[in-house]
Amino acid sequence: MSLASALNSARSGLSYTSRWAQTTSTNISNANTLGYARRAPQLATSTMGDPVITGISRAVDASLDRMYRVEAGRTGRQDALAQVLSVHTDVLGDTESTDSMLARLTDFRNSLGLLSLTPADSASQRAAVTDAQDLALALNRANEGLVQARRVAQSGVQQDVAAVNKSLAQIAELNRRIGQEQPGSDLQLSLQDQMTQALDDLAPVIDFTLRTTQSGEVELFTSGGAPLLEGNAPARLSYDAATRSLMAGDVEITPGVDGVRGLSEGTLAGKLGFLTSEAPAMQHQLDEVARALIDGFQSVEQANGGTVGLFTDAGGALGATYAPGLAGRIAVNDAVLPEEGGALWRIRDGMAAAVPGTAGDATIVNQMAAMLDAPMSFDAAAGLGETGTLSSYMSTLIASQQTARSEAETARDTFSAGAEAVQSRRMGFMGVNVDDELQQLLQIEQSYAANSQVLRVVSQMLDTLLESF
């Protein structure tokens, strides 16, 4: 090797070592920076056999990125569903609760049993009426819990839509800046780190597919294929609360709608799914309980010459059809409430009775008790069976709705564990191991010393040659 070749090799070695040291120190200083991907110099060999750095690469694995974001979206959906369901089920209670509608039904049935033994006793009449009111109020509370869950979900949808629009605008701006930078430059790498973090932040809210251009920019689509971001033009999301439809620009992306290329995972899909699926089904089930109560007592009243029974739809009779929310409107007939101008004895003699009947006649009371114990018909569309006693239907309802929450929480924990496992592998690949980087610094020091020694030796040899002339 000539002296010139040795000099060039040493100079190239020092240049490479310098850039390597810069990259390693950058890795160490950003070891705890969120979204930072480990840097590594890309090494090639020149035509003269010297080491040449052709660029700096980020340690990323698109497959792990995708897997993590899928699990994050699944976790987000189940977590959102569990949270809104808990608002309702905390009020609903369980089959062992002492203040649930099931417990209140049992209290009311027991009061009717006691009243049948002493139908003339005003205290027994008051107890039966009070327990009937408590039963109606328990249904009202359960309905209000569901209404409150809807409000929470509705507000959450609006917040998620705003968050997605903000994220898409941020990603579009990062696209613009990445496209302006020199490929592989420090600034472009830093912007790509920010892009990774922005995409990770978006994944729990909505699921998406990703396409990366040659210049490093990204394009986003819903899991169904509808465009969310193409180039630097994000599609603005909007939500219509009246129709419960979600739009990305002028394209509908509402989850669960046939023929729509929409979302399927993420907190936004979870909240919308509750509003369009779980909430209406649970409302139907609650309303079936209220309908059975009103209809059953109305049948007893009609059999005894009356019209409106002990339980009413906001004070009136139950029609052939009724608007959703019956469980929130059910109330005890004013005819038995002294505070509303009624009389307690009507629970013995019928709501339409003008004057008290025979004091010891428990016929109507026994009919009401028998009706509560007998099998009733329920709407099969509610999903809890077509026949059964009111108490068994209530038990099934409570268990079913509590199970929906429990299943959402279990699924959330399962997907969360999966996301953490993938993230651990991902961080092991792209994250910075400070011990490894410190070992590289030792190698850099040795490389620098070796190349410096070559320069010194070449310099001494040149000096010796010059002195010989």
Side-chain angles (χ1 to χ4, degrees):
M1 177 184 290
S2 66
L3 291 179
S5 296
L7 187 63
N8 285 332
S9 294
R11 182 175 56 80
S12 297
L14 286 176
S15 176
Y16 168 74
T17 303
S18 175
R19 190 64 189 276
W20 186 12
Q22 179 185 352
T23 302
T24 303
S25 62
T26 300
N27 286 339
I28 293 174
S29 63
N30 286 280
N32 295 319
T33 300
L34 196 63
Y36 180 83
R38 187 181 70 256
R39 312 286 198 258
Q42 294 177 309
L43 183 64
T45 304
S46 69
T47 55
M48 302 296 294
D50 300 325
V52 178
I53 292 181
T54 58
I56 303 297
S57 63
R58 297 171 66 244
V60 294
D61 187 316
S63 177
L64 289 176
D65 288 348
R66 182 174 60 257
M67 290 171 60
Y68 168 71
R69 290 165 187 157
V70 167
E71 294 301 309
R74 290 172 175 170
T75 302
R77 179 186 180 115
Q78 297 301 327
D79 183 52
L81 184 57
Q83 287 189 34
V84 293
L85 283 173
S86 68
V87 175
H88 167 56
T89 54
D90 284 348
V91 177
L92 180 68
D94 56 36
T95 54
E96 302 300 321
S97 299
T98 58
D99 196 33
S100 68
M101 58 183 176
L102 180 60
R104 294 307 182 190
L105 176 64
T106 301
D107 292 342
F108 177 52
R109 175 63 185 84
N110 292 338
S111 294
L112 289 178
L114 292 174
L115 180 59
S116 68
L117 298 176
T118 56
D121 182 28
S122 61
S124 296
Q125 294 170 2
R126 167 52 76 182
V129 170
T130 298
D131 286 341
Q133 288 179 295
D134 289 343
L135 175 56
L137 288 173
L139 275 165
N140 296 160
R141 285 195 302 272
N143 187 83
E144 181 56 31
L146 188 55
V147 170
Q148 183 60 29
R150 275 195 172 109
R151 292 195 190 104
V152 170
Q154 199 83 262
S155 175
V157 168
Q158 300 289 3
Q159 292 172 5
D160 283 351
V161 166
V164 170
N165 284 331
K166 182 178 180 180
S167 292
L168 291 178
Q170 177 189 4
I171 294 170
E173 174 62 16
L174 288 171
N175 267 348
R176 184 188 65 80
R177 295 177 62 189
I178 287 173
Q180 292 176 344
E181 299 302 324
Q182 183 70 24
S185 66
D186 289 340
L187 182 53
Q188 190 188 62
L189 294 176
S190 178
L191 290 171
Q192 288 173 342
D193 286 341
Q194 295 178 45
M195 179 68 80
T196 296
Q197 189 57 47
L199 293 172
D200 286 353
D201 291 342
L202 182 61
V205 185
I206 61 171
D207 57 328
F208 56 84
T209 58
L210 174 70
R211 184 167 64 200
T212 305
T213 65
Q214 290 184 345
S215 59
E217 302 170 30
V218 300
E219 294 182 337
L220 302 181
F221 305 86
T222 66
S223 54
L228 293 171
L229 173 65
E230 292 182 299
N232 298 332
R236 184 168 183 80
L237 267 62
S238 59
Y239 174 65
D240 187 334
T243 61
R244 297 194 184 99
S245 59
L246 182 67
M247 307 292 291
D250 57 357
V251 178
E252 184 176 2
I253 58 170
T254 309
V257 177
D258 293 338
V260 170
R261 299 181 299 160
L263 307 175
S264 58
E265 303 293 347
T267 58
L268 185 53
K271 293 164 189 174
L272 280 171
F274 172 77
L275 290 171
T276 58
S277 180
E278 282 84 3
M282 291 178 172
Q283 183 70 70
H284 192 180
Q285 293 168 1
L286 284 174
D287 287 349
E288 271 298 282
V289 171
R291 180 207 58 77
L293 264 176
I294 298 172
D295 190 54
F297 282 88
Q298 190 168 285
S299 297
V300 171
E301 184 66 21
Q302 290 171 351
N304 290 278
T307 304
V308 183
L310 177 62
F311 292 97
T312 68
D313 181 357
L318 183 67
T321 60
Y322 59 87
L326 182 63
R329 301 192 303 272
I330 188 173
V332 171
N333 198 324
D334 288 348
V336 296
L337 303 177
E339 59 272 24
E340 299 296 336
L344 293 173
W345 49 262
R346 287 198 177 94
I347 197 168
R348 178 196 63 201
D349 301 325
M351 304 299 111
V355 294
T358 304
D361 186 1
T363 301
I364 294 179
V365 175
N366 287 328
Q367 289 174 353
M368 291 190 291
M371 180 271 300
L372 288 178
D373 294 337
M376 298 179 175
S377 296
F378 297 94
D379 187 356
L384 298 180
E386 297 183 52
T387 59
T389 63
L390 189 57
S391 62
S392 66
Y393 193 84
M394 280 187 179
S395 296
T396 304
L397 180 152
I398 292 172
S400 173
Q401 297 190 6
Q402 288 288 357
T403 297
R405 170 187 175 177
S406 177
E407 289 176 345
E409 290 174 340
T410 300
R412 175 197 62 196
D413 294 343
T414 300
F415 290 135
S416 178
E420 289 176 4
V422 174
Q423 182 70 337
S424 178
R425 290 176 54 196
R426 187 180 178 220
M427 289 298 99
F429 181 82
M430 69 181 288
V432 176
N433 186 315
V434 176
D435 290 340
D436 289 346
E437 299 299 323
L438 291 175
Q439 290 180 6
Q440 288 188 42
L441 285 180
L442 293 176
Q443 296 175 14
I444 291 169
E445 181 181 3
Q446 294 169 358
S447 176
Y448 183 85
N451 283 290
S452 297
Q453 182 64 24
V454 170
L455 284 177
R456 283 195 297 271
V457 170
V458 171
S459 178
Q460 291 172 358
M461 294 176 69
L462 288 173
D463 290 340
T464 300
L465 286 174
L466 291 173
E467 288 174 358
S468 66
F469 288 101

